[in-house]
Amino acid sequence: MSSILPELRATIRNHTHADEAVVVEQLLHECSLDNKQREAIRTHAIEFVDRCRAKSHKAGTLDAFLQEFGLSNNEGIALMCLAESLLRVPDKDTADRLIAEKILSGDWASHKGQSKSRFVNASVWGLMLTGRVVTLDDDFQVDTASWMKRLVSSLGEPVVRKAVLQAMRIMGGQYVLGRTIEEAIQKGTAQNHSDARFSFDMLGEGARTDADARRYFEAYADAISSIVATGKRASVSDANGISIKLSALHPRYEFRQKQRVMTELLPRVKALALMAKSGGIGFSIDAEECDRLDLSLDIFAALARDEELSNWNGLGFVLQAYQKRATHVARWLIALAAETGRRLMVRLVKGAYWDVEIKHAQEQGMTDYPVFTRKCHSDVSYQVCAQILLGAQREIFPQFATHNAHSVALIRELTQGGKEYEFQRLHGMGHLLYDEVVKENPNAAVRVYAPVGKHKALLPYLVRRLLENGANSSFVNRFLDAQVSPAQLLRDPMDETRSHAVAPHSGIHLPRATYPKAAHPWANAWGIDLADPLEVAPLLEAVMAQGDNQHKAEPIVGGERMPGLSQLLHSPARNATAVGEVVVASEEAIERALARGALAQPAWDRIGAHHRAACLERVADLMEAQCHSLIGLIVAEAGRTIDDALSEVREAIDFCRYYAQQARAHFCAPQSLPGPTGEVNELSLQGRGVFLCISPRSEERRVGKEWRSRWAPYH
Ligand code: FAD
């Protein structure tokens, strides 16, 4: 029987940057819940919220912190920036300067004493620089900024630095179950009932060097040994498990390094998976950024097919519902389980990198986003993915990871009549909600995802949690906020989606239209997703083809080729490979070019800013159309990486459009704008430079200008 996996992989790839409205329409179509069920889910969720609010005094200190410091105020943002940046600052002086800048931007005082939680106040005081209660001066209320300035200058930045780090440590204690796996296991057992399930996460991700990766490998291996030593449970789904991040196990875990990843990273993951298998525990691969997905599917498929890992149901994948291709990945996982004759664990999450994904797609000028732009779309996707996973009980053990009461109520509704599954929550979060779940159904299985590690390794995780939880769209952000009624908080995702006519978020423009607010908007340079095999294949073809071309760069003045000294040019990456020939302009050629330029200048000046702007835009369009060959040329000539070459071309395109926009904004009266008639009629790749042949029509004069790597646009 032929496999359906390749076809499903192709569908996944085709949906990476799919049209959001089309995908969401399809999701609405697939959703099996009727109106009555949806109303029941909402009512159930409202009950959960009411019950949790009634005992909100028991909320964890972290929940209290988030209520006090969201990211919607200066202090929250300053705190995040500071904490995140501090770890990356190598020297104390710079750290102090950073603190001086950030801390003065916050109005810390307005938070003092507002929260009943001692933790919040402790962190406020921590941020108040000394770690002890500070008696406020009277003028604090009047002029906080100067007051802070005086305080910082009297205490000194080193004290501030210590205090901030201390505050971060307090906060870190909320999220991390233990500094070592032994401490975490011991604390986890003491803090929870005896049959509580854990998935331990050894903090650390994004290895930068092989030494980092080896260190993380050892930490995972030690952790697996320690978890196994705590004793076997009846089944792998009851047992404690481990969650790993592939980015921790290899410094080049990226699509461009696929071969290395498959030969170097895969054996490391397999070695850990074998340990987990022999210990009878679960082994989950956390989901990271979208551009890792394709590669992670290859690794996961290789593990699932591996004979040595057969007869074990502990292999786990994390599925992010906010990705437009999520439902297709769910189907691929089911098919993989069926074809390899095993049951897979699948943790369904919404996804923790939303801000990063949006920013990345905009920076890279992608055709569209890989994630949804409306929260309710991710919720609908979560709903459909849950349905798909629960419909394949033989192949999948679903694990629903969420802190959202509506998502919990959804799963309760979908599992009516008995299904095998578990809920998952993060250590330090969601316990109010899950206490209610367990109270309602004592058999409900809830696994705690428990980060383990030292303070320094916590921050990427911490910042992700706080960013996510501080967002207004996030459930936990308003969960305990008495100002928001449960009915407001818990809208049915399908109704909400339809209320926006299934359209993407109107405030989040497509990546190419990132600059819509300017009076004269310009298009973000078109990019190539270097982690998308479908986009990379034609690019590689063009780059390889450039290797066969022999380029010739020579001075052309007034359309006439000028003689000069000729030199062979070699690739700096491969010295033996000649990439072409360059003819150096003679003095006479330069004199002639200058003279012709001077002659053409008055007409060029008279022609006006709009025409010159249109020329620049035409150049940008031509470069965009020939982006692949330009990249190939830069790679061949300058020995650059494809990433760098792509950035270089995109930068040039952006410059052209930006300066065209500036010319229009500053030099053109709006009513006198003629249509966009660029007069650049040729963009030819001639060896070392790109020649723009610009013909001011009135003069029919040909002005050649060489555009080199760092081309400075001109008005
Ligand atoms: P909700 O408030 O219902 O959802 C918030 C989420 O909605 C955001 O995180 C984002 O995904 C999405 N969202 C927010 N705004 C928008 C928008 N404008 N458009 C589209 N979508 C939007 N995440 C990972 O990426 N990888 C993991 O391996 C992982 N493991 C986890 C393990 C556990 C046990 C838990 C509880 C979470 C894990 N997460 C992981 C985090 C998870 O993806 C969510 O970020 C987090 O749980 C919040 O989702 P929620 O359902 O609890 O809350």
Side-chain angles (χ1 to χ4, degrees), residues 287 320 347 350-352 373-375 378 402-404 468 475:
Q320 294 166 320
R347 179 197 307 154
K350 282 170 200 156
T373 58
R374 282 194 193 275
K375 160 85 166 67
S378 294
T402 178
H403 301 130
N404 183 328
E468 167 185 308
F475 174 82

Side-chain angles (χ1 to χ4, degrees), residues 592-623:
R592 243 166 101 178
L594 288 175
R596 291 189 72 94
L599 211 64
Q601 195 275 335
W604 183 237
D605 190 39
R606 270 200 311 279
I607 212 159
H610 172 72
H611 277 82
R612 291 198 292 272
C615 285
L616 286 175
E617 283 163 349
R618 179 92 177 105
V619 171
D621 292 348
L622 286 169
M623 283 196 282

